[in-house]
Amino acid sequence: MLVVQKYGGTSVGDLERIENVANRVAKAREEGKDLVVVVSAMSGETNKLIGYAEHFTKNPAKKEMDMLLSSGERVTAALLSIALQAKGYDAVAMTGRQAGIVTDDLHTYARIEKIDPTAMQNAIKEGKIVIVAGFQGINKDGSVTTLGRGGSDLSAVALAGALNADQCEIYSDVDGIYTTDPRIEPKAKKLDVISYDEMLELSSLGAKVLQNRSVELAKKLKVKLYAKSSFSDNEGTLITEESENMEEVLVSGVVLDKNQARVTLRGVSDRPGIAAEIFSKLADENINVDMIIQNVGTDGATNLGFTVPQSEIDNAKKVMEEFDHDIEGMDYDENVCKVSVVGVGMKSHSGVAAKAFSALAANNINIQMISTSEIKVSMIIDEKYGELAIRTLHEAYELDK
Ligand code: ASP
Ligand code: MG
């Protein structure tokens, strides 16, 4: 059995923790597994290196940043390999390049283009435990590239795909994916299994556990992913392809996204192309629009609402001012949040949305905007009720049971 394990920054945060990881890897080895272990930089290390660069300029060249930041992961890979060797295990540390990872040229946010797993496979054949520095590759010119923050998860999933590994285990300080954030609802339960699509929808909940791009890649490559803790022996959560019995569960989780601001446009000229103009302009300004809702027009005008990250609201206002002649009135609210109910069971069951609306109504929480997808219902509400709404929904769908 070939397993790719990935240990995040907290799991390798100091020498003692690296030793702990070495013990865990050694144990898996004793169980007869072939192992490729991907590591992050020690926690705080990447930020520290960014700080060093910013001492000189706020705008360091991205190519040099990749050279700098990739060093964090190399340190941990080497140390873990040394720790394993000290315990009598045959291990070898590899950089992204040595592991055969080739990316495009987009420094600090590169995409993996191909992986040649031969060197890893040869080392495995020789009985070695392969340790790979995460978060990095090289472009076709041979320059070091990095994959964007949190990119070691992506390295692990991509390597699991290239090696055709049986599974990919992502270790952090959290022991899996929960029905909601346990800091908001202490009755939150760890999920045993969840589909890729649900995981992607729950990303704001799971962002600290799994990087989004890595889940997308796992879905594409059909890599069986486990989210586990390096500090316990708990089972973790399996993220995998959707199966029929997953649909028996109506709702898998509820999520709160506090980083939302609402823009409402009243009396927008109801003519072809207006939405294209507004949203193209927002896109040009790199403003990420989340929810969009438009009404059926009456008397040549319509209402249009959308949400943006709170940090973008001033920019969004500026863009909207350019449409003054096309819009009667604008209204902004930064104090909103988005609560979402996620579950593949919604595909085959009715009444899921109605239940959410009733639960919020029973608590006198006004819903300002609603949007749905096949497996998600999202509602924009007053920010001060966000946590209450999460607890209310968690209970309404009996997620604590
Ligand atoms: N060290 C990188 C970061 O902090 C990559 C990672 O940890 O996955 O973003
Ligand atoms: Mg990380």
Side-chain angles (χ1 to χ4, degrees), residues 55-202:
H55 173 81
F56 301 104
T57 166
K58 281 280 159 243
N59 230 333
K62 294 195 161 142
K63 189 163 181 274
E64 315 308 313
M65 285 312 281
D66 278 349
M67 178 83 170
L68 179 66
L69 298 190
S70 59
S71 70
E73 270 70 10
R74 295 174 67 146
V75 169
T76 13
L79 288 175
L80 180 57
S81 188
I82 290 167
L84 279 161
Q85 288 168 1
K87 291 179 192 298
Y89 292 88
D90 201 0
V92 57
M94 296 186 181
T95 61
R97 181 188 71 75
Q98 288 171 305
I101 301 173
V102 179
T103 73
D104 62 13
D105 293 325
L106 199 59
H107 282 289
T108 73
Y109 205 74
R111 278 182 174 279
I112 296 176
E113 280 185 344
K114 62 172 195 286
I115 296 178
D116 175 1
T118 318
M120 289 183 292
Q121 281 162 339
N122 288 341
I124 292 167
K125 259 184 234 142
E126 288 164 18
K128 291 187 165 69
I129 301 170
V130 178
I131 316 290
V132 180
F135 176 55
Q136 59 186 277
I138 52 161
N139 64 15
K140 57 181 182 316
D141 308 327
S143 303
V144 182
T145 52
T146 64
L147 308 176
R149 296 308 303 269
S152 297
D153 288 0
L154 196 64
S155 309
V157 170
L159 291 182
L163 290 159
N164 216 344
D166 294 281
Q167 63 193 53
C168 180
E169 303 167 354
I170 309 280
Y171 289 89
S172 69
D173 50 355
V174 187
D175 63 356
I177 312 299
Y178 280 73
T179 50
T180 197
D181 186 340
R183 285 166 305 185
I184 299 175
E185 174 50 276
K187 288 188 214 142
K189 281 230 147 58
K190 187 171 66 66
L191 294 157
D192 293 333
V193 57
I194 184 173
S195 71
Y196 296 122
D197 288 328
E198 286 171 312
M199 186 64 236
L200 289 167
E201 294 287 14
L202 289 172

Side-chain angles (χ1 to χ4, degrees), residues 279-299:
F279 293 107
S280 306
K281 194 78 219 271
L282 289 164
D284 288 346
E285 298 297 316
N286 278 318
I287 299 172
N288 222 331
V289 176
D290 182 13
M291 219 188 247
I292 303 177
I293 286 171
Q294 188 191 311
N295 239 324
V296 176
T298 44
D299 302 328

